Amino acid sequence: MKINWTIITIVLALISGTGTLSGQESNPQAVAIEGFTVQTPESTPLIGSHYLEAKFDMVREYLSDHPEIRGLKKSLADITEFELGDTKEWWVFDWTKDSDLPESMSQIPTTCRAKGENCYVFVHDEIWAGGSDDELVTQAAVDAIVNGFDSETPNNVSQGIFEIDVETFGDPPDYDGDPRIIILIYDIIDGWLPGEGYIAGYFDPADQFPSGTWSFSDEFNTPIPSNEAEVFYMDARPADLLSDNGITGVLGTVAHEFQHMIHFAQDPNEGSFVNEGCSEIAAFICGYGFRDDDRYAVDPNIYLYGWNSTLADYTRAALYAMYLYEQFGKDFFKVLVASPGVLKFGLDAAMADFGSPRNSTTVFIDWIIANYLNDKSYNEVYGYDYSPLPKPIPSATNYAAASGIGAVKRLGVEYITFKQGSIESVIFEGSTFKVKAIKSGSALVEDVAVGSDYPTPGLMDGTWDEITFAVYNESFYPEFLIESDYSYVGSGGAGGAVTVEQVFDDGSGDGTLNLTPGDSISVQFNGLAGAKLDSIKIAFRNAGSMQMGVWRFTGSYGTSPLGAPLVPERTVTSNSASASPFPDPFENWVTVDLSGEDIDASEDFIVSLLVGADPAVPGVMASSEPDIGVYRSRTWYQAAGGGWYILTANAGANTWNYLIRAYLCASGCTIEVGPENIGMVPAAYSLSENFPNPFNPSTTFTYNITESGEVNFAIYDLIGRLIYEEQRTHIPGQYSLRWNGVDSFDRKVGSGVYILRMQTNEFSATRKMVLLK
């Protein structure tokens, strides 16, 4: 089943009331929109594989009992080659009905609208341009699909989807005796409503056998019809075949579903995890994008091969397939698809046949480390070339000595993080699980012996920024182990106050958004076990006041994200204005001191501000940054009908992030902050790795300054030529530098590897970055 990988960028929520942050005004007066776009609500693709799973099970059982049917073809007398303009009624599936009901199948009249080298395109007559009042498909769209299937893809102008998928995964089936694949386009019957779920496409295994080979449930004893052809089905609504972007999305679905057809021909018994992973990588190899959202990252403690037909399953399968693609190359997938084993057994056999000394277990361990460390410069097996990818969220992040318990599922993992200065040693207790220490700063991965004290002096002397323990369960067999309990205790540590800064912006401050009075802007922050909310910092453009509140995050933007109030609503005042062009990093910050209010920050929370009568007064600054699929900034935007929206820029390639930051007291904090522009003083100089990397068109470095003074930046190419330089003067604090890929004369530089050097009187560091065009 194809899952449309386009990130959902708008979620509607209804909140009643008037005039406050938790109750927006009704019937707002619309104002002009400047600096951003509001995307129309995108629909979530339905996960439909479980609907057809009954059919797949019948096919597998029948093939097991009748192996002679494998490779069966129509008789020569029944082979039909279609021509342009031919008409035919095809059986299609109604996704609103159960698959074991006769009414789940019906016939629709179609016409062959294109005949390519490797495909026919049939379109339901009711949605053909000029054929009805409901025109969803045009000749231009059909021709574009044929061109993509036969001739060219975004990643290869001389290869179409057919050739790339066959080259990568193997030969498709050929039951109907005609080598061309049938792409059938109709408004898939899925009960779709605007803003809700839909089926983007599907492949039905029953089409590979004679009609009536098996029946619906015993209750009906009605033969299941078959189209007796190599056919897969594409949606026409809400899938958009009237725009270039919509056609590109449909072609990604074509690449995905064609892989399923090939996989069925090669190995009809394959498990969903491997099969769907292959289809995800098929769309990527052809150039139609990759599912790089964070649904797996938020909960990596899940059985690797499990399949519940959720978006998180598809995210996990896509990430694992990307890892296989980078580690073994494209040629590995043909071996994998041809391997008759299921899941682990197919992977083990494929790796052996491919000549690799690794197996599914060692790859799983390397993969969970790569997901967190993502550093191929340390070890090729511990990272990705593809970027950006979301980092798994630890189940616990500790800034002082701490203990905890957990249970890790088979072929699952939990990450436990200790930050610099937090502990001198840690011990893990339990059985049937293993632990790897992932040390950041100067990367190192080590085995941790369960039941033995593991010393961590590097956290105390600054050698490591953090140590994250990957607690994993490498067992595959459910009858041996479903879940493994563990506990840990971290001891020692420097003690004292620890304040944690949460930043989801690059600090650049590109301007303010012209919103509607009564709108709200918000940023969602992570909770931290045992922490208190110390302060909030907000970047303003002008002098003036806004109303601010802090709420517990409900976990969903589908209803109201604002849960129980943590901070009573209050007025926040900016006493100064910022001139344009704005300094980078932005300087006009106001700190809201919450240190004396004993606010529990152990769970996720939201900071929200109400837009006043003049949206520009004082105006919260926003930063246009590349869309990485993780959305912290949201806007209650009335002019689009009300709802919590993600606002985008640059045709959706960038999102607007508000410059709002939170500071959490993680341990023993007694910090005093004033009403002026006060920031937290970093403990040490540092220069982060740039993000994204590789990049195009811009990338950002974050750096810490502990003493006031001049900071010099220089960028060189690989032969040592100075490309760009910049000098800044800073007071202590955290800042960011964004490079737009230009030299000192503002001329664009070419693709390649560049070196950034940061230098102060007390500190020097370099970082390598890759510009791709």
Side-chain angles (χ1 to χ4, degrees):
M1 166 50 51
K2 167 62 182 156
I3 296 304
N4 186 328
W5 54 86
T6 303
I7 298 295
I8 304 164
T9 56
I10 291 183
V11 184
L12 298 181
L14 300 179
I15 302 179
S16 61
T18 59
T20 69
L21 288 170
S22 57
Q24 310 301 322
E25 290 182 0
S26 59
N27 302 316
Q29 181 179 359
V31 297
I33 301 172
E34 297 176 355
F36 65 89
T37 57
V38 178
Q39 298 183 5
T40 55
E42 296 180 4
S43 297
T44 309
L46 288 172
I47 312 302
S49 55
H50 60 287
Y51 282 96
L52 286 182
E53 192 60 33
K55 278 193 176 182
F56 274 97
D57 286 342
M58 285 189 292
V59 171
R60 295 181 185 115
E61 183 178 351
Y62 192 86
L63 289 175
S64 176
D65 295 338
H66 301 85
E68 72 280 357
I69 201 172
R70 286 288 304 273
L72 182 69
K73 287 190 177 185
K74 283 184 177 180
S75 65
L76 290 175
D78 294 330
I79 294 176
T80 300
E81 183 173 333
F82 296 105
E83 299 297 337
L84 199 64
D86 283 356
T87 61
K88 181 175 174 60
E89 289 197 347
W90 296 96
W91 288 99
V92 296
F93 188 69
D94 182 344
W95 294 85
T96 66
K97 305 288 195 308
D98 291 336
S99 61
D100 59 353
L101 298 176
E103 56 265 33
S104 66
M105 301 288 291
S106 61
Q107 285 183 295
I108 59 172
T110 70
T111 301
C112 181
R113 301 295 179 179
K115 180 179 180 179
E117 180 181 353
N118 299 301
C119 67
Y120 305 104
V121 179
F122 278 80
V123 181
H124 188 190
D125 292 338
E126 289 185 4
I127 61 173
W128 179 250
S132 72
D133 294 332
D134 198 9
E135 299 178 356
L136 301 177
V137 187
T138 64
Q139 189 64 50
V142 168
D143 292 342
I145 289 175
V146 172
N147 182 62
F149 195 74
D150 280 353
S151 303
E152 62 177 304
T153 53
N155 276 356
N156 195 322
V157 296
S158 60
Q159 279 189 309
I161 292 169
F162 180 90
E163 187 176 355
I164 293 174
D165 272 15
V166 169
E167 182 182 273
T168 306
F169 303 104
D171 293 328
D174 188 18
Y175 171 74
D176 62 8
D178 186 337
R180 290 181 177 84
I181 306 301
I182 298 160
I183 303 173
L184 175 57
I185 301 173
Y186 76 109
D187 183 2
I188 293 178
I189 309 165
D190 52 16
W192 173 77
L193 293 172
E196 296 188 358
Y198 74 100
I199 302 297
Y202 65 96
F203 162 74
D204 187 345
D207 290 330
Q208 296 300 293
F209 302 97
S211 190
T213 301
W214 40 73
S215 298
F216 287 101
S217 63
D218 294 339
E219 178 183 352
F220 300 102
N221 197 27
T222 303
I224 292 178
S226 165
N227 285 314
E228 300 184 353
E230 281 68 60
V231 55
F232 54 81
Y233 308 84
M234 295 290 106
D235 187 49
R237 180 171 44 201
D240 180 12
L241 284 161
L242 301 179
S243 71
D244 290 342
N245 286 341
I247 291 171
T248 297
V250 170
L251 283 168
T253 306
V254 168
H256 184 116
E257 294 303 328
F258 186 43
Q259 190 287 139
H260 281 319
M261 180 181 286
I262 291 172
H263 217 128
F264 180 78
Q266 301 293 323
D267 182 13
N269 296 312
E270 185 57 86
S272 294
F273 176 80
V274 170
N275 200 340
E276 295 294 348
C278 288
S279 281
E280 292 288 318
I281 211 68
F284 170 77
I285 291 173
C286 289
Y288 296 111
F290 178 66
R291 185 190 300 273
D292 54 1
D293 60 71
D294 65 348
R295 288 182 176 89
Y296 171 65
V298 299
D299 184 19
N301 187 18
I302 188 169
Y303 172 47
L304 177 66
Y305 304 128
W307 198 260
N308 296 308
S309 294
T310 68
L311 289 172
D313 290 329
Y314 283 86
T315 302
R316 186 175 74 259
L319 184 63
Y320 187 82
M322 175 62 78
Y323 184 77
L324 294 178
Y325 174 72
E326 291 198 5
Q327 291 294 309
F328 297 101
K330 186 176 75 170
D331 293 343
F332 172 75
F333 286 91
K334 183 174 285 189
V335 179
L336 174 61
V337 171
S339 176
V342 177
L343 300 174
K344 167 185 169 60
F345 305 105
L347 286 162
D348 284 337
M351 291 174 193
D353 291 345
F354 200 67
S356 172
R358 301 162 77 183
N359 58 41
S360 63
T361 301
T362 59
V363 166
F364 163 71
I365 297 168
D366 294 340
W367 178 65
I368 61 175
I369 296 171
N371 292 340
Y372 194 87
L373 182 61
N374 201 3
D375 186 355
K376 294 186 83 170
S377 66
Y378 169 65
N379 190 316
E380 280 291 322
V381 303
Y382 291 155
Y384 296 84
D385 293 323
Y386 180 86
S387 179
L389 287 172
K391 191 173 186 175
I393 298 174
S395 58
T397 300
N398 303 295
Y399 295 83
S403 61
I405 61 174
V408 62
K409 298 176 182 177
R410 58 194 178 103
L411 293 179
V413 60
E414 285 194 334
Y415 300 94
I416 310 295
T417 295
F418 284 89
K419 293 290 188 177
Q420 192 174 93
S422 56
I423 55 170
E424 295 176 345
S425 65
V426 66
I427 185 169
F428 284 85
E429 299 282 2
S431 60
T432 63
F433 68 90
K434 294 183 178 180
V435 183
K436 293 275 190 180
I438 305 171
K439 299 181 177 181
S440 302
S442 178
L444 181 65
V445 176
E446 293 181 327
D447 289 320
V448 176
V450 174
S452 299
D453 202 52
Y454 180 79
T456 59
L459 280 179
M460 305 306 299
D461 63 22
T463 302
W464 314 113
D465 297 332
E466 68 174 48
I467 300 179
T468 293
F469 297 95
V471 185
Y472 63 95
N473 179 350
E474 65 183 23
S475 175
F476 169 73
Y477 298 97
E479 60 267 35
F480 293 165
L481 183 66
I482 299 296
E483 202 169 65
S484 181
D485 295 330
Y486 69 89
S487 64
Y488 67 90
V489 177
S491 304
V498 178
T499 300
V500 181
E501 180 186 52
Q502 290 199 37
V503 178
F504 303 114
D505 62 82
D506 66 8
S508 61
D510 296 311
T512 59
L513 306 180
N514 191 12
L515 300 173
T516 304
D519 289 343
S520 289
I521 66 172
S522 69
V523 176
Q524 173 199 337
F525 295 95
N526 295 329
L528 180 64
K532 301 293 183 181
L533 184 56
D534 182 86
S535 56
I536 302 293
K537 283 178 63 176
I538 307 164
F540 289 112
R541 177 172 182 176
N542 299 309
S545 299
M546 292 186 78
Q547 195 176 7
M548 183 204 83
V550 182
W551 284 264
R552 183 76 68 215
F553 179 46
T554 63
S556 172
Y557 288 92
T559 54
S560 171
L562 307 180
L566 299 178
V567 175
E569 296 177 25
R570 64 191 62 197
T571 299
V572 180
T573 301
S574 169
N575 295 320
S576 59
S578 302
S580 180
F582 307 112
D584 186 2
F586 191 74
E587 296 176 350
N588 189 20
W589 292 85
V590 170
T591 299
V592 181
D593 180 10
L594 302 170
S595 58
E597 302 189 29
D598 194 33
I599 301 165
D600 179 17
S602 59
E603 299 178 16
D604 290 4
F605 59 93
I606 283 182
V607 176
S608 188
L609 292 99
L610 181 68
V611 176
D614 185 346
V617 179
V620 177
M621 295 294 288
S623 171
S624 175
E625 301 171 28
D627 184 352
I628 62 171
V630 179
Y631 308 112
R632 295 289 183 163
S633 293
R634 307 241 180 183
T635 306
W636 174 273
Y637 188 62
Q638 300 178 96
W644 289 99
Y645 287 78
I646 294 160
L647 304 183
T648 64
N650 191 21
N654 285 18
T655 57
W656 287 104
N657 296 329
Y658 293 115
L659 272 65
I660 302 174
R661 300 175 176 180
Y663 297 83
L664 278 62
C665 174
S667 173
C669 298
T670 56
I671 294 178
E672 295 182 1
V673 293
E676 302 301 328
N677 304 331
I678 300 174
M680 300 297 172
V681 178
Y685 284 95
S686 67
L687 173 65
S688 73
E689 299 290 342
N690 60 305
F691 182 84
N693 192 29
F695 70 96
N696 181 17
S698 65
T699 191
T700 299
F701 298 82
T702 300
Y703 57 97
N704 287 336
I705 301 296
T706 63
E707 296 183 15
S708 298
E710 187 173 271
V711 185
N712 297 298
F713 295 94
I715 295 175
Y716 301 86
D717 64 16
L718 275 184
I719 61 175
R721 293 179 299 188
L722 179 64
I723 302 297
Y724 177 85
E725 60 182 346
E726 181 177 334
Q727 290 78 41
R728 296 179 173 183
T729 301
H730 288 311
I731 62 173
Q734 182 177 78
Y735 303 92
S736 63
L737 170 73
R738 181 163 59 181
W739 186 48
N740 296 321
V742 298
D743 63 16
S744 295
F745 300 96
D746 207 35
R747 297 173 301 196
K748 293 290 186 182
V749 301
S751 298
V753 179
Y754 296 88
I755 307 297
L756 170 77
R757 185 184 69 189
M758 170 183 165
Q759 185 126 21
T760 72
N761 289 334
E762 295 81 19
F763 177 78
S764 180
T766 60
R767 293 290 183 264
K768 183 170 68 175
M769 51 186 159
V770 180
L771 172 60
L772 295 179
K773 293 187 175 180

